[in-house]
Amino acid sequence: MVNLPLPHLSGAGALEAWVCRATAVVPDGTLPGNTSWAGSAALSDEALAALWFGMRLLRSDTLEDNWGFTWDGDAWATPQGPVHHALLGLAFGSTTVAVYTACTTHNWPAQIAPDPDGLRREGKDPARYEPPYCQGAPPDEYGESRPNAGGVLLLSRFLERFGDELAACHSSPAARLVVDPVTAAEGAWPVGDVSRAVAPGPLGTALAACVRLMIQDGQEVDVVLPDDSDLLDAPGDPASDGVMTPLWVVAGGHVMSRDLQARLAARASAGERVVVVEAVPDHDENGAPCRLLAQAPVTVVAAGSPETLHRTLVGTGPAPSVLTRVRSSASPGRTTRATPGSSSCPTALTDPPRRGVVPPRASSTWTSRRTGGASS
């Protein structure tokens, strides 16, 4: 098993470099896990995007979730924040709920205490880093319960009641974000001065647009690698499959593996929607000329803002397949922030294929498959 950090979404090449590293350190037979230190997904779209993308790319399980550290704010001092993230982890496919830390630690030796001067230089408040370690952990080291203990009990009862259903249900996403590590490597380590490069590359633009598709339009989106079963399956007949025309959002570049180009080209030729962000590849992973995708009937979107790509996806995508709207738009270009524990707080975002989220609703496109029970 390998425990991976979530990706950083800012900085030239940061996301692409994470894709290259993460896919390389998970060989066949290794179980991928993840930490979830990316901020509060209820308060930040970027944190939500990092959690969704980081977990769905490798179908990872949660191995380390914040259940009481208040170093960066008080969102984790009470059950709303940790429970919200635990539910999101389950929604994104995790088969585990990880409570970190299990208890507080009231003291530690001076050798490992955070340096107050260093914290101040980083713009942080040293008082937040004073004992106890993990102030909001469910119990303290003497066994006394703290507020987050109620969250652990709630999740335990929830999984006892619905754990089998979580593992047995999956749904069909309206769109899929296709990520090729070969293409990502092209932008992972930019050449030249990147100090002023703040605009995201094709992958960052595609990721942000897909998150908007989920938040603002209630459409389910998944993340797939070139060897994902969704891509390996033969293209269907969109006009007769009775569901919806698949939408494939491809982070483009000048290089893409030949097999992936062939699979996407076949789907585009079969009538499925393939949207390539920025450049259409003209070479394969070995540097040989390859224009399989360029010769297919795909939609190409020039590099631009996530808002522009989002509008394109809405115009080319299927009708919304709404399970749960995470947040609703308060005004054009602005997203309402849901407060954990309030009536607008999401209990699920999007149901990943192969691993479940919640029992099926009559109006959804869910199907069931028994895969075993969930664990906590």
Side-chain angles (χ1 to χ4, degrees):
M1 176 173 285
V2 59
N3 189 15
L4 297 171
L6 294 174
H8 290 286
L9 305 186
S10 59
L15 176 60
E16 291 82 356
W18 182 88
V19 168
C20 294
R21 292 193 300 268
T23 53
V25 301
V26 183
D28 291 342
T30 301
L31 297 176
N34 66 273
T35 66
S36 62
W37 300 89
S40 173
L43 304 175
S44 165
D45 286 351
E46 183 170 313
L48 176 63
L51 186 66
W52 167 72
F53 183 83
M55 294 190 67
R56 292 308 301 153
L57 183 76
L58 297 174
R59 309 299 193 259
S60 59
D61 292 312
T62 302
L63 295 183
E64 187 177 316
D65 216 347
N66 184 357
W67 274 79
F69 287 95
T70 56
W71 293 342
D72 296 324
D74 296 326
W76 314 104
T78 54
Q80 291 93 331
V83 169
H84 180 212
H85 263 238
L87 290 173
L88 281 177
L90 293 171
F92 295 151
S94 177
T95 59
T96 60
V97 171
V99 179
Y100 182 80
T101 63
C103 68
T104 62
T105 301
H106 286 280
N107 296 284
W108 53 77
Q111 303 92 293
I112 65 171
D115 176 37
D117 292 335
L119 292 172
R120 291 188 187 96
R121 285 193 296 269
E122 295 177 3
K124 298 177 180 179
D125 182 6
R128 285 192 174 272
Y129 292 79
E130 294 177 353
Y133 182 78
C134 195
Q135 296 180 4
D140 65 17
E141 60 188 19
Y142 305 111
E144 295 294 327
S145 293
R146 293 173 176 261
N148 280 339
V152 175
L153 180 60
L154 175 66
L155 283 171
S156 297
R157 291 176 174 174
F158 173 76
L159 290 172
E160 286 176 1
R161 183 173 180 181
F162 297 112
D164 288 342
E165 285 82 356
L166 286 172
C169 300
H170 65 92
S171 69
S172 299
R176 294 170 177 85
L177 173 59
V178 183
V179 181
D180 187 357
V182 171
T183 308
E186 182 182 355
W189 294 275
V191 177
D193 183 11
V194 297
S195 59
R196 297 184 179 181
V198 294
L203 179 55
T205 299
L207 188 158
C210 287
V211 171
R212 285 176 175 269
L213 203 62
M214 291 188 287
I215 292 174
Q216 297 183 12
D217 303 287
Q219 295 193 20
E220 299 172 68
V221 186
D222 201 6
V223 184
V224 296
L225 288 165
D227 59 352
D228 192 276
S229 59
D230 289 343
L231 274 168
L232 296 176
D233 293 341
D237 181 358
S240 62
D241 62 10
V243 184
M244 61 180 66
T245 303
L247 171 62
W248 304 87
V249 184
V250 186
H254 295 291
V255 180
M256 183 177 291
S257 58
R258 183 176 293 267
D259 286 347
L260 178 58
Q261 288 194 49
R263 291 166 191 156
L264 291 171
R267 293 188 174 279
S269 299
E272 299 182 4
R273 298 180 177 94
V274 178
V275 177
V276 181
V277 183
E278 197 172 280
V280 180
D282 50 22
H283 286 77
D284 66 12
E285 67 272 31
N286 298 313
C290 181
R291 294 182 53 81
L292 294 174
L293 192 57
Q295 296 168 353
V298 302
T299 300
V300 182
V301 180
S305 67
E307 295 83 1
T308 301
L309 176 58
H310 170 245
R311 288 194 293 270
T312 301
L313 298 180
V314 172
T316 62
S321 172
V322 179
L323 293 182
T324 300
R325 186 179 296 275
V326 178
R327 308 187 196 105
S328 59
S329 297
S331 60
R334 183 171 178 81
T335 301
T336 300
R337 301 296 183 190
T339 302
S342 71
S343 60
S344 60
C345 179
T347 55
L349 171 64
T350 174
D351 170 44
R354 293 177 297 282
R355 293 179 179 175
V357 181
V358 290
R361 300 180 181 179
S363 60
S364 73
T365 58
W366 293 70
T367 56
S368 295
R369 184 180 69 182
R370 286 286 164 186
T371 58
S375 61
S376 61

